Structures are given as C-alpha cells and as structure tokens.
Amino acid sequence: MNIDDYKFAGKKAIVRVDFNVPLDENGNITDDTRIRGALPTLKKILADGGSLIIMSHMGKPKGKVNPKFSLAQIKDAVANALGTDVKFAPDCANAAEAAASLKPGEVLLLENLRFYPEEEGKPVGIDKADPAYEAAKKEMKERQKEFAKTLASYADVYVNDAFGTAHRKHASTAVIADYFDKEDKMLGYLMEKEVKAVDNILSDIKRPFTAIMGGSKVSTKIGIIENLMDKVDNLILCGGMTYTFAKAMGGNVGDSICETDKLDLALDIMKKAKEKGVNLVLGTDCIAGNAFSNDADTQICSVKEIPEGWEGMDAGPESRKLFAAAITPAKTILWNGPAGVFEFDNFTGGSRAIADAIVEATNNGAFSLVGGGDSVACVNKFGLADQVSYVSTGGGALLEAIEGKILPGVAAVK
Ligand code: AMP
C-alpha cells in the first residue's frame, strides 16, 4: 500500500520511527534531525483523522530496562514537534489499554522497544559457541513473533518510517508486518524518500558517477567498495584508508591509522579498479600531525613519506585538487565518510574541499547523495546540507542498500 492512498480516518496507526536521537548528560536532545525526519508521516496520519502509536528504539539497552535510554526523555520534544499532546506508555509490550483508548488525533509514544530482547530477537546471556545457542536462538525467534504480534494488536495499520533500522529484521521493523494485510502496511514518507534516493544512485545513473568513500578503515567499507566498483566511473578512497593503501604500495606512513592486515586487500582493490576501468583516486599528500589532537603541530607531506611520530590527519592540497577534479564534472555522486579527522577543526579542510566540489557539481545538475553518520555530520558542520541533493538519515541501512542488499524493513511491507 502507498501512504498517500491510505485512508487513516478513524484508524489506529502504529508507526515505527527512528527516534534514536543523541542526548547530552542531562537527557536533552542535541540533534533532533531524526524527529523532524518522521514528521511528514506522523502529521499526515493525524491530519487524516487517524490516531498514532509511535514506537522506536533508543541506544543499546541490550534487552533490559535502563532509564538512560528511556523515550520518556523525548516525549515533550515529540509533542512540541507535532504540536499536540503525547501520552506515554511506560511498557511497550503492555500498552493495549492505552492504545485502545486513543481517539482520532491522539498520540501515544511507546517506551523503548529494545528494553525487550525480543525486539532484536537475539538470545541474551549465552555465547554463540555454547552448544545450547541454536536452541536459545530458536526459542527467541518464537518469542520475537509473540512480541511483534502484541505490538501489531494495538493498531489497524502499520507504517515503517525508520530507515536507520531498515537493514535489521527486528520485531518492530519487519516481523510485525506479518500480522497486517497487504493493504494495511506501508512505508512512510521518509522511507520512500530514502529508497528513491538509493534507487537514483543504483539504477538511474547519470554519468560520470563519482563515489567518495572515506572514514577510518577499509575493512568496514569493503562490501560497498566492491559493489561500487561495478557501477562508478571514479572512486575516491580517502580518510584513514589512505594510509593502508600507501603502506601497501611500499610507503612509510609513520604513526598513521593503518590496517596492516589489509595490505593485500588494498592491492586487490587497486587491481580490480584497473581491470574494471574505474578511475581510482587516492590521496597523494596529507596534512600530518605530531599528535592526535586539534592542536598538533602539522606539516604537509607525501602519504608515502610520513615521518615516525607523525600521522596523516587530513588530505593535503594536492589530494584535494585530485578529488575535486573527479567530483566537479560528475553527474551522480555518493559521499560516505570524511577525508580526515573532521571532528578537529584544524583537520576539516579535505572534507570541506569534497563538500564544496559536491555543491558545485550539484549546482551544475548532478544528483548528490550524502549518507552515513559522519559525512552527514560534515555537511551539517559546513552548513551545506541543503546544497546537496539528498542527505540520508541511514548509516548502516544506506550502505547495505547501496551494496545491493534487500533491506528487511522495506521487503516486509512491499
Ligand atoms: P567511519 O565511521 O569509518 O566512517 O569513520 C569516520 C571516522 O574516521 C571519523 O571519526 C574520522 O575522524 C575518522 N578519520 C578520518 N580520517 C582519519 C585519519 N586520517 N586518521 C584517523 N581517523 C580518521
């Protein structure tokens, strides 16, 4: 079912959102992007005359009640954002009465789903190596179904708008959908937008297509790098990965972050890029620091000649030019992961150069997708989020979707 075609009037809608927002030590929200992201869906249901049961996880309470991760902390912020009162159900698995009493236009927020291990469906307190693990896993899967069935019993219709967890087959993101008819389950607007943005990158490719992968390690990005190799014209690998490649090519990387057990992998990526005709762009110079600190002394050096006691912290001027040259003419752009330790203001230059080039290409008609926690933090830090085509709310989900994997959260309602 399509959300625009559904008549929510008089219906109770249970909506899975991703309200896993960052909180400071006093429980104040430091970034409400995720709440704002879900508003179009939530407001649409209320405006139609439906009532809302909102469910989400927060943090990693590992199947136990933990006030630190209570959604009660964000109830008022949700109420403010929606412009209406929000009731709170302190136990998500015992909220039948509260749900049943909801009138059209009313809102109920359920307590953190992950206070129950059934949400994630993984057995707790038992090691994978334990011979009893398989039986425990099977039992937990059954309990997960019961938990999902309970959640489903609160509502007439299920909407999944939590892209951030769409790559997980959890009770509230996927299993619950089994308890609704095809006509009574659907994606929310945020999910639809995210899925469309990935589709733009994967199937509707305007060339040249340039992907920029940064961040700290090759090992966590290898799946997506391999998948992209079949699609892109230019592949920029930057950030901490740079030094694994530099070392693999025989360079001295000093104290830079470097995965010494991934040198063969780096060489293999270079070989594959050549075979597939992909223009692999690696940084040639870097800003090295003599400490992992914003106030470190710095020097510009070749990524292959970094002195002992120094570490590559950001892309150097020559690298930035190489990156920009591969980005500005592009018509499709994907950016995941910063080019340096952008959290330190003195090492944002490489990431900034990438962001500026993406904005320029976007102004020239490119479709640009920025996604995955840290690159989103980057464009936000530079105030450029509204100058790229799409900023994804998904980290792992986005990467898995781009790897070509079917997301369980999407498959469950489709
Ligand atoms: P990831 O989670 O793998 O996308 O990595 C993001 C992190 O990579 C950010 O916290 C950056 O500070 C870090 N990073 C980027 N470049 C470097 C570098 N040259 N050395 C150490 N960390 C880096």
Side-chain angles (χ1 to χ4, degrees), residues 214-217 220-221 239-240 243 257 292 311-314 336-343 374:
S216 50
K217 292 177 176 171
T220 56
K221 306 265 159 107
Y243 311 98
I257 183 170
F292 191 76
E311 59 186 295
M313 303 269 283
D314 196 8
N336 173 271
V341 188
F342 79 102
E343 295 93 334
D374 279 322

Side-chain angles (χ1 to χ4, degrees), residues 117-165:
E118 286 84 352
E119 164 63 359
E120 294 182 80
K122 273 189 266 164
V124 270
I126 179 162
D127 197 78
K128 271 195 178 144
D130 193 314
Y133 182 82
E134 279 310 310
K137 193 168 136 192
K138 222 168 145 196
E139 192 221 319
M140 183 50 89
K141 287 285 162 209
E142 287 309 308
R143 279 167 53 186
Q144 185 181 48
K145 283 186 199 161
E146 281 307 308
F147 180 70
K149 199 171 159 188
T150 301
L151 297 171
S153 73
Y154 301 157
D156 307 299
V157 45
Y158 168 66
V159 183
N160 189 358
D161 212 17
F163 185 68
T165 46

Side-chain angles (χ1 to χ4, degrees), residues 84-147:
T84 186
D85 269 1
V86 170
K87 299 170 200 269
F88 187 69
D91 180 350
C92 64
N94 284 292
E97 262 177 51
S101 68
L102 284 179
K103 298 190 187 65
E106 289 188 339
V107 185
L108 176 68
L109 173 65
L110 302 185
E111 179 58 290
N112 196 341
L113 297 159
R114 289 194 191 165
F115 283 180
Y116 281 88
E118 286 84 352
E119 164 63 359
E120 294 182 80
K122 273 189 266 164
V124 270
I126 179 162
D127 197 78
K128 271 195 178 144
D130 193 314
Y133 182 82
E134 279 310 310
K137 193 168 136 192
K138 222 168 145 196
E139 192 221 319
M140 183 50 89
K141 287 285 162 209
E142 287 309 308
R143 279 167 53 186
Q144 185 181 48
K145 283 186 199 161
E146 281 307 308
F147 180 70

